[in-house]
Amino acid sequence: MQQIKKAAVLGSGVMGSGIAAHLANIGIPTLLLDIAPRELTDAEKAKGLTLEDKAVRNRISEGNRQKLLKQKPAPLTSKKNIALVEAGNFEDDMERLKDVDWIIEVVVENLAIKKQVFEKVDQYRKPGSIVSSNTSGISVEAMSEGRSEDFQKHFLGTHFFNPPRYLKLLEVIPTKNTSSEVLSFMKQFGEDVLGKGVVEAKDTPNFIANRIGTYGLLVTVQEMLKGGYSVGEVDSITGPLIGRPKSATFRTLDVVGLDTFIHVANNVYDQVDGKEKEVFEVPGFMKVMQEKGWLGSKSGQGFFLKKGKEILELNPESLEYGPRKKLKTASTELSKQEKGTSGKLKALVYSEDRAGQLLWNILSPALLYSAQLLGEIADDVTAIDKAMKWGFGWEMGPFETWDAIGVEKSVQKMEDAGEEVPAWVKDMLEKGFGTFYKEEEGKQYFYHNGEYRLIEENPKAINLKQLKKQKGVIKKNTGASLIDLSDGVALLEFHSQSNAIGLDIIQMINFAVDEVEKNYKGLVIGNQGKNFCVGANLGMILMEAQDDNIYELDMVVRQFQNAMMKIKYSVKPVVAAPFGMTLGGGSEVCLPAAHIQASSETYMGLVEVGVGLIPGGSGNKELYIKHLESMPNGVEFDLQKVANKVFESIAMAKVSTSGEEARDNNFLNLADGISVNGDHLLYDAKQAVIALHKKGYKPPVRKKVPVVGETGYATLLLGAQAMLYSGYISEHDLKIAKMLAYVIAGGKVPYGTEVDEQYLLDLEREAFLSLVAEPKSQQRMQHMLLKGKPLRN
């Protein structure tokens, strides 16, 4: 039975150390090896070190290990995970490979060097251990030539995308000798443990995503030059408008690095011929950019250059920078009226204006190229589509895009322009199959060799859209729906604008808990929006405050608090499943739940101070109680330190950078769970409900809460006053800090007094309403709504 308990990464550069960090994030101890230096640095000489000292011999890998703590975005989900990464070198530590279950090679992209490394690995590895290469395009088959039979059976390509923590795609590339058990184990391990979207690719140049992605980017550059478009114009219509990331085309190249991109392009250029080779020839001006060192973000300039607050774009002909332009045409304006990416694309690609022509001329070759490569780079259309969505952040893969613009209509347009459409696509249309995908009775099918085949989904990947089509909803309103997740578990899904909490969601929380208490084992609160919940409906709060409807707001806040208490004391377990932004009211919904099952990428915090308020829906009280409950039983602790920590967390609007950090910040406790694969989050949350039900779940018993009172309030304020005198915070910041300190201290009571929860809720609500009425807080709310960033006033 294959297991991976320990790993080794060979090569400690950005990619190697990033993979080691990802393994550490999921709890796998990892040995990170690199070459031993041949020369001493001046600092090492000054310390009297020699080339034989371990600190010198491990300098390269240890240096790259330490960089993991400073890199942005952070490769580690918690800084303490660094303890699971151990630095070593190729000369002293190769024999330690006998203790590991998975060896990942991430050395320089050179076949001869890789083969040398694998020769050594073959000497030291234990039989049955998996060996893989993270190559982005060198033949995996060629690397394993001459190796032992056991090595070849356990060898394959595992191509991570950079940065490994954040990008979902993992391309798995078997050789003809890879055992089928090893392949299926790695696919499952990749999905369930590494949290990746796994796609099986063929051993061809650049595999799937980089092959098609690079082709698409180069076609776009060539079209820009041919049609006289500017860099900024291209980016303005190749981003979110067509379901691609905000970084669009050239900003993406700046982020990736021009040198990396040219290397990947050359890799295909050297291995193909004919028309394809022409496309992969990097345009001259990009080669000049590389010579000048204009590589993008890492060198400070590339296709874009930031001057002060202005972002300038490069003119590819003169190689000078000028103001950034945007492409505005009738079709771009028309597409903005359309709902969904499919509608937007249709409005654009069949238009004859400049935007329409550009998009057609870059999309059409990419669709044809994807169709030509089917069978060569991947077995079916789903693998290609998934690779582009997970590796490049496209909302729709090439074949889904083709369906969106209409296969028949676009093929006609391609043929009218003299393009050669692959025979299998024409054959598909002739046989009466009009789309690459179809849906029937809530199930999805894809076209393959003259028939539609069912898309096999991992049962852990619950798709709410499909589920609602299959089973309908129990009840819904504008803000939320209650859905039957099956097996006796219900799910409350938010679907308001940005999933912001208003009265409609509060009503559905009350209905959901009542319904679940009568008819279900428990409730999951979760959704599949962009973010779990960005907080309460700030626009509504501001409107009521400006109209002086404090009585109305008081009623809303009471209802919100009561709904949170209902979640907390429900007789059936409620499990919150946060992911992405889980801010303010979003955190307040999670804190009282019986269990939190967070995604690994959960950014959680009570951030109300940023808009001139404090949490009003029980957040202060619940975070304080969560901190108290994390204290060991029977051990005396300093209550003031707990109050200080909660005060600091809310006053500084601290937001976790991961689920793991949310646990470090006490938003999650040790019993709460973290799902590495976001697609499995709702499944994991459902299993948590079932487990709590099986254990005979009982709601918590209402207890009084010890507070620090008047003396603690004075202590909490000391720091804030010092910050005011140093000029770090404004008078209004101090006013907010005073209110927050008063609530957390539990008001004017003696230190150590035990108060009930309702008393703390009343304090919280009164402070919230008092701040809402403040003109300076209203200015902060308005600024956030208009500009999307906090105002310091």
Side-chain angles (χ1 to χ4, degrees), residues 736-755:
I736 298 164
K738 279 182 175 171
M739 295 272 189
L740 178 62
Y742 191 76
V743 169
I744 286 166
K748 290 181 176 174
V749 296
Y751 183 96
T753 301
E754 295 196 340
V755 299

Side-chain angles (χ1 to χ4, degrees), residues 131-289:
V131 185
S132 71
S133 170
N134 182 63
T135 180
S136 55
I138 289 179
S139 166
V140 182
E141 201 79 56
M143 286 183 219
S144 64
E145 280 167 11
R147 301 280 56 82
S148 66
E149 191 185 336
D150 187 79
F151 180 106
Q152 292 190 336
K153 259 176 70 173
H154 293 87
F155 180 71
L156 69 170
T158 49
H159 181 216
F160 287 82
F161 272 59
N162 193 26
R165 171 182 160 187
Y166 300 95
L167 283 185
K168 196 167 175 67
L169 180 62
L170 175 67
E171 290 175 322
V172 173
I173 309 100
T175 72
K176 62 176 185 290
N177 298 315
T178 308
S179 103
S180 57
E181 289 81 12
V182 167
L183 176 62
S184 68
F185 168 78
M186 278 312 283
K187 284 160 93 169
Q188 193 175 351
F189 177 82
E191 199 170 326
D192 291 351
V193 184
L194 295 172
K196 296 290 168 198
V198 181
V199 169
E200 187 182 330
K202 310 258 191 186
D203 190 11
T204 54
N206 287 2
F207 312 126
I208 303 173
N210 274 343
R211 179 84 171 264
I212 289 171
T214 308
Y215 181 91
L217 279 162
L218 284 165
V219 163
T220 306
V221 175
Q222 286 152 9
E223 199 49 48
M224 170 186 80
L225 297 173
K226 216 183 332 180
Y229 296 90
S230 90
V231 161
E233 284 179 330
V234 171
D235 267 16
S236 69
I237 64 157
T238 56
L241 193 64
I242 60 164
R244 303 277 173 88
K246 268 205 300 225
S247 55
T249 302
F250 293 103
R251 180 81 191 99
T252 298
L253 285 171
D254 274 354
V255 171
V256 168
L258 189 59
D259 49 345
T260 307
F261 176 76
I262 288 176
H263 170 80
V264 172
N266 287 341
N267 194 33
V268 183
Y269 179 81
D270 294 339
Q271 298 180 64
V272 295
D273 41 42
K275 269 177 84 175
E276 190 177 0
K277 197 177 187 78
E278 285 170 31
V279 175
F280 280 95
E281 180 162 8
V282 174
F285 84 95
M286 286 166 82
K287 292 176 185 168
V288 176
M289 284 173 72

Side-chain angles (χ1 to χ4, degrees), residues 232-249 326-349 353-356 358-359 362-363 393-396 401 404-405:
E233 284 179 330
V234 171
D235 267 16
S236 69
I237 64 157
T238 56
L241 193 64
I242 60 164
R244 303 277 173 88
K246 268 205 300 225
S247 55
T249 302
K326 278 186 177 175
L327 191 56
K328 251 189 168 184
T329 67
S331 69
T332 60
E333 294 313 294
L334 187 68
S335 72
K336 286 173 189 167
Q337 319 296 316
E338 293 289 337
K339 268 195 173 167
T341 307
S342 300
K344 291 185 194 319
L345 270 171
K346 262 192 206 142
L348 287 159
V349 294
D353 63 23
R354 282 191 81 219
L358 173 65
L359 268 183
I362 61 185
L363 267 184
W394 293 7
E395 193 183 309
M396 298 187 286
T401 301
I405 64 170

Side-chain angles (χ1 to χ4, degrees), residues 17 37 41 54 61 152 244 254 295 353 369 470-471 523 534 577 599 615 657 660 754 760 772 789:
S17 59
T41 63
K54 198 168 178 187
S61 55
Q152 292 190 336
R244 303 277 173 88
D254 274 354
L295 306 177
D353 63 23
Y369 188 62
Q470 286 164 11
K471 303 186 85 163
L523 176 70
V534 296
S599 161
T657 59
E660 196 70 49
E754 295 196 340
L760 288 173
V772 153
K789 48 187 178 210

Side-chain angles (χ1 to χ4, degrees), residues 231 292 294 301-303 305 312-323:
V231 161
K292 286 178 178 280
W294 297 357
Q301 71 185 96
F303 292 97
L305 171 67
L312 305 174
E313 63 172 56
L314 183 75
N315 178 328
E317 283 176 12
S318 66
L319 288 185
E320 287 169 358
Y321 290 92

Side-chain angles (χ1 to χ4, degrees), residues 465-484:
K465 258 189 198 156
Q466 301 297 112
L467 193 70
K468 285 191 280 192
K469 280 178 189 165
Q470 286 164 11
K471 303 186 85 163
V473 296
I474 302 163
K475 184 173 179 166
K476 75 178 282 190
N477 65 19
T478 49
S481 296
L482 188 63
I483 305 161
D484 186 340

